[in-house]
Amino acid sequence: MSKIYERLEKCYACFKSKINFEPDVALVLGSGLGDFADGIKTEAVLDYGDIEDFPISTVQGHKGRFVFGYVGDVKVVIMQGRVHYYEGYKMEDVVLPVRLMKMMGAKILLLTNAAGGVNKDFRAGDFMLISDHINMAPSPLIGENAEELGVRFPDMSNIYDRDLREIVRNTARDLGISLQEGVYIQLTGPNYESPAEIRMVRTLGADAVGMSTACEAVAANHAGLKTVGISCISNMACGITDKPLTHAEVQETADKAAPLFKKLITESVIRLGKAL
Ligand code: HPA
């Protein structure tokens, strides 16, 4: 058995011994969006710290726990707080929670994040459906392949599942919520980018920039977990305005956008649940 799977089995056994719940949809909540989980019909909560061998997040504003419950009739597991590569974890740690949620039974993964707007047509407060990504951080699949999860050289031609994207697109349209669509680029962070780096990533075809998500999406695809992702454009990226960027600003815009984002996520999850 691969070392990765051995560790996952340990985490899974820990989960199983405490929680009797099989989720269908897994959600990862980005900066400012964590309290979405507080509004759902909660069945159980599991602190990351109570799972043996689980990586613990250190970023302010990120709670570290799984919340199990219902959005409408859909059984969900929500990661309230994710693990970031810039915290110093190995990529294997960063994607462990996503793999674990797959083992818990999740069939669909909805990733959210706060991101900087690279596309000049975007505005702070916009939402962007992720059509594809550019992963500039190391692949989470480097090292021994977890054969139990997926193949050594997995296809990445439909990372953000076409059908799921259509569901989210239609949901936004029906709710009257405007939704941009574009390519997300993951850099390692934790520093924000320089103006030259933002010009570079725009040239490369990115519409939004952030420090998460792509690695999780790669691991999910590897494991056969259908994925969809939405960014909240919390700020325009460096160099577009001459105002220095702060985490407080990112958090503040994400907080302001949160009620509308919650609406979009809630209805999207309900409809994604019907697609199971
Ligand atoms: N750059 C990188 N990550 C981010 C940004 C940004 O401008 N905003 C929110 N996350």
Side-chain angles (χ1 to χ4, degrees):
M1 190 189 293
S2 68
K3 286 256 163 31
I4 291 169
Y5 202 74
E6 221 170 87
R7 183 177 174 198
L8 273 168
E9 283 212 317
K10 230 194 286 168
C11 293
Y12 181 73
C14 208
F15 152 76
K16 259 318 220 189
S17 71
K18 296 172 203 273
I19 308 282
N20 181 22
F21 191 86
E22 194 180 321
D24 286 315
V25 176
L27 284 97
V28 182
L29 302 175
S31 294
L33 307 166
D35 66 349
F36 172 81
D38 300 330
I40 73 156
K41 185 168 161 264
T42 302
E43 291 285 311
V45 167
L46 181 58
D47 286 333
Y48 297 159
D50 291 337
I51 307 172
E52 198 188 336
D53 234 358
F54 195 92
I56 313 281
S57 178
T58 57
V59 187
Q60 275 180 13
H62 288 270
K63 280 185 201 164
R65 56 187 203 162
F66 286 116
V67 177
F68 302 89
Y70 290 86
V71 174
D73 293 333
V74 184
K75 294 175 91 174
V76 299
V77 53
I78 302 180
M79 272 188 82
Q80 206 170 20
R82 51 154 58 94
V83 181
H84 297 87
Y85 185 61
Y86 61 72
E87 293 175 76
Y89 293 107
K90 290 181 294 182
M91 268 299 175
E92 181 194 316
D93 291 333
V94 175
V95 301
L96 180 140
V98 163
R99 288 170 162 164
L100 183 57
M101 292 193 291
K102 157 90 182 172
M103 282 178 86
M104 290 174 186
K107 289 148 203 85
I108 291 175
L109 173 67
L110 171 55
L111 295 168
T112 70
N113 60 51
V118 172
N119 186 322
K120 289 180 180 172
D121 293 335
F122 290 3
R123 292 289 166 267
D126 280 355
F127 303 133
M128 185 190 87
L129 180 62
I130 303 175
S131 56
D132 200 353
H133 76 218
I134 302 170
N135 180 25
M136 296 288 270
S139 169
L141 307 181
I142 290 173
E144 181 192 22
N145 183 43
E147 290 290 338
E148 301 85 350
L149 299 175
V151 297
R152 173 76 290 189
F153 302 108
D155 172 66
M156 292 285 146
S157 59
N158 189 28
I159 302 177
Y160 302 89
D161 185 84
R162 245 172 242 110
D163 299 335
L164 302 187
R165 270 190 280 147
E166 169 135 18
I167 290 171
V168 174
R169 201 181 292 126
N170 291 341
T171 305
R173 188 201 56 214
D174 294 348
L175 293 175
I177 296 172
S178 96
L179 185 64
Q180 307 278 11
E181 201 157 336
V183 173
Y184 176 92
I185 189 164
Q186 177 177 356
L187 306 182
T188 64
N191 55 287
Y192 293 116
E193 303 71 31
S194 69
E197 286 165 345
I198 292 302
R199 286 195 297 277
M200 175 187 77
V201 301
R202 188 179 300 117
T203 305
L204 292 177
D207 297 291
V209 60
M211 308 173 191
S212 65
T213 303
C215 53
E216 293 153 330
V218 167
N221 267 256
H222 172 251
L225 180 55
K226 281 191 178 181
T227 302
V228 65
I230 311 172
S231 295
C232 171
I233 305 299
S234 55
N235 57 280
M236 289 310 286
C238 181
I240 296 178
T241 65
D242 25 323
K243 232 177 23 161
L245 264 175
T246 63
H247 183 58
E249 178 197 343
V250 167
Q251 196 87 35
E252 200 185 305
T253 315
D255 284 347
K256 254 192 249 163
L260 204 56
F261 205 49
K262 278 181 204 167
K263 216 169 127 184
L264 176 60
I265 301 292
T266 303
E267 187 59 27
S268 293
V269 170
I270 290 169
R271 295 194 193 185
L272 289 168
K274 295 202 177 98
L276 286 166

